[in-house]
Amino acid sequence: NKINKNFFKHNLKKDFHLIAIPYKKQNIIIKELYKWKVIKSFSLNYKNLEYSKIVFDKIFYEKIIIYLVIDPSPKYRSIYNYYSKKYINIKSREIKDKIEKNLIDFFVTRSPKEFLEKFSLIFGIGALKYLENNNDKVNKLKPLSKPLGYLGWKNFNEFISFANISCDWIVLRNFEFLPLKFSENDKDIDILCRDKNLFIKKLNLNKRSWGISSYQVNIGNKIIPIDLRFIGDGYYDKLWEENMLRNKIFQNNFVPRPSNIDYFYSLIYHSKLQKNKVKQLYSERLD
């Protein structure tokens, strides 16, 4: 999926990974590090235990050291389900299984998707531009004091970029106004995602007091309402929702949206079956 046309794209050849371990226990993995090309190490001392849980899906109770490494000769195994394919690096998976037999406080990314997500959480979306194996650029890398998006998103570019990395989703309507002209649109964003709970967790959404789909998020220090739909919720037919996500395209090479055919029929469905009145704007678009 598109992340942001201006940022690094993983090409599956120079396989970046992150390795995290408690600072006092780093000697345990010294021999394992010889199997990688170590680009740089960083110390990370989160003041809030919740931060490490957000980033690593586990709690580190002490100072962490993070290694940014490259696997010069990655070996991938593809894991398929009906709708997607996930690449797993066999080497990182083997090291994870080996180390975690004796040490619970250990983390290594296992796939390109996982690397991009964890890297962005630690260093920020903008730091992706430094991943060109350029020493001058890598030296500018500095961990954020708290995970990306924890207190809200800087702007729609940041929100959409991280959603593209971490979730399978689309903007159902009015995507033409994103990311720069949201104020010219309706007051909320209509989203369809594959996994509702995952999207809420990754994008730090908060529930509004009414409606099962009513959420909100902080973007640019403003509370933005979100109408969050998900596969199987009955908003559209379940198979159609699956196909909308599978057939999605990207507005301005960035914002995920339904294909033209799905957009046309879903807009008719929304205008005539889900609403009492057809907006003039929608009539013009349908024409």
Side-chain angles (χ1 to χ4, degrees):
N1 294 343
K2 302 292 183 183
I3 299 169
N4 185 310
K5 61 184 179 181
N6 298 318
F7 292 153
F8 168 83
K9 294 180 181 178
H10 209 300
N11 61 13
L12 302 182
K13 295 179 180 179
K14 291 183 178 179
D15 193 27
F16 285 95
H17 283 277
L18 290 171
I19 298 173
I21 192 169
Y23 198 88
K24 295 179 181 178
K25 299 178 182 178
Q26 58 184 296
N27 290 337
I28 295 175
I29 62 168
I30 292 299
K31 291 183 180 179
E32 299 296 338
L33 288 176
Y34 288 117
K35 300 177 182 179
W36 310 81
K37 178 181 178 181
V38 179
I39 304 301
K40 193 173 181 181
S41 63
F42 308 85
S43 61
L44 193 61
N45 193 11
Y46 283 141
K47 296 180 179 180
N48 189 331
L49 294 179
E50 185 182 1
Y51 295 171
S52 62
K53 178 71 173 177
I54 291 171
V55 175
F56 303 109
D57 301 313
K58 62 177 64 180
I59 293 178
F60 284 83
Y61 290 94
E62 53 188 283
K63 185 178 179 181
I64 310 167
I65 185 166
I66 299 174
Y67 295 94
L68 174 62
V69 302
I70 286 179
D71 184 352
S73 54
K75 295 181 180 180
Y76 290 100
R77 182 177 67 200
S78 299
I79 299 177
Y80 290 87
N81 61 34
Y82 189 70
Y83 291 101
S84 65
K85 178 170 62 174
K86 183 178 181 180
Y87 296 99
I88 299 293
N89 188 333
I90 295 175
K91 181 191 291 186
S92 62
R93 181 59 186 265
E94 289 175 347
I95 290 176
K96 177 182 183 296
D97 294 341
K98 177 181 177 180
I99 298 297
E100 286 189 343
K101 288 180 180 179
N102 301 309
L103 181 64
I104 297 177
D105 298 340
F106 176 76
F107 178 85
V108 58
T109 53
R110 292 162 291 173
S111 67
K113 177 183 182 298
E114 188 174 38
F115 168 78
L116 292 171
E117 179 183 322
K118 304 307 182 185
F119 181 91
S120 299
L121 284 170
I122 296 170
F123 299 102
I125 289 289
L128 289 170
K129 63 188 176 184
Y130 298 138
L131 293 178
E132 298 176 359
N133 201 19
N134 183 310
N135 289 334
D136 292 335
K137 289 187 176 182
V138 171
N139 285 334
K140 296 179 181 179
L141 278 176
K142 183 179 179 181
L144 304 172
S145 60
K146 56 180 68 65
L148 180 73
Y150 181 75
L151 295 178
W153 305 92
K154 181 169 60 176
N155 49 44
F156 277 102
N157 271 309
E158 187 175 79
F159 175 86
I160 294 170
S161 293
F162 190 73
N164 285 347
I165 291 173
S166 59
C167 298
D168 189 5
W169 74 299
I170 55 174
V171 179
L172 287 168
R173 292 176 290 278
N174 300 315
F175 41 77
E176 299 91 344
F177 296 94
L178 292 171
L180 300 177
K181 298 180 179 180
F182 174 76
S183 60
E184 299 176 20
N185 179 25
D186 288 340
K187 296 180 180 179
D188 64 355
I189 307 175
D190 296 290
I191 288 173
L192 172 68
C193 65
R194 180 167 298 279
D195 187 323
K196 175 183 177 180
N197 293 330
L198 181 69
F199 196 92
I200 291 169
K201 176 184 176 183
K202 298 295 185 182
L203 279 302
N204 295 318
L205 304 190
N206 294 307
K207 188 71 180 69
R208 288 187 283 172
S209 59
W210 65 93
I212 60 172
S213 299
S214 298
Y215 289 84
Q216 62 187 29
V217 66
N218 186 329
I219 300 178
N221 293 320
K222 296 180 179 179
I223 300 301
I224 306 298
I226 287 181
D227 197 12
L228 186 64
R229 307 296 177 172
F230 59 95
I231 290 179
D233 65 353
Y235 188 67
Y236 293 112
D237 175 78
K238 181 178 180 179
L239 181 58
W240 192 8
E241 290 174 331
E242 290 273 11
N243 285 332
M244 281 188 194
L245 291 179
R246 184 202 282 187
N247 299 329
K248 66 183 171 184
I249 59 178
F250 291 85
Q251 184 79 7
N252 298 324
N253 201 31
F254 181 44
V255 182
R257 49 154 291 192
S259 69
N260 288 338
I261 291 176
D262 284 331
Y263 182 36
F264 178 72
Y265 287 108
S266 65
L267 196 57
I268 292 176
Y269 188 100
H270 177 70
S271 299
K272 297 298 292 183
L273 295 178
Q274 295 173 336
K275 296 293 183 180
N276 295 324
K277 183 180 179 181
V278 180
K279 291 182 179 180
Q280 179 62 31
L281 176 64
Y282 291 165
S283 294
E284 294 171 0
R285 288 183 186 173
L286 289 169
D287 284 342

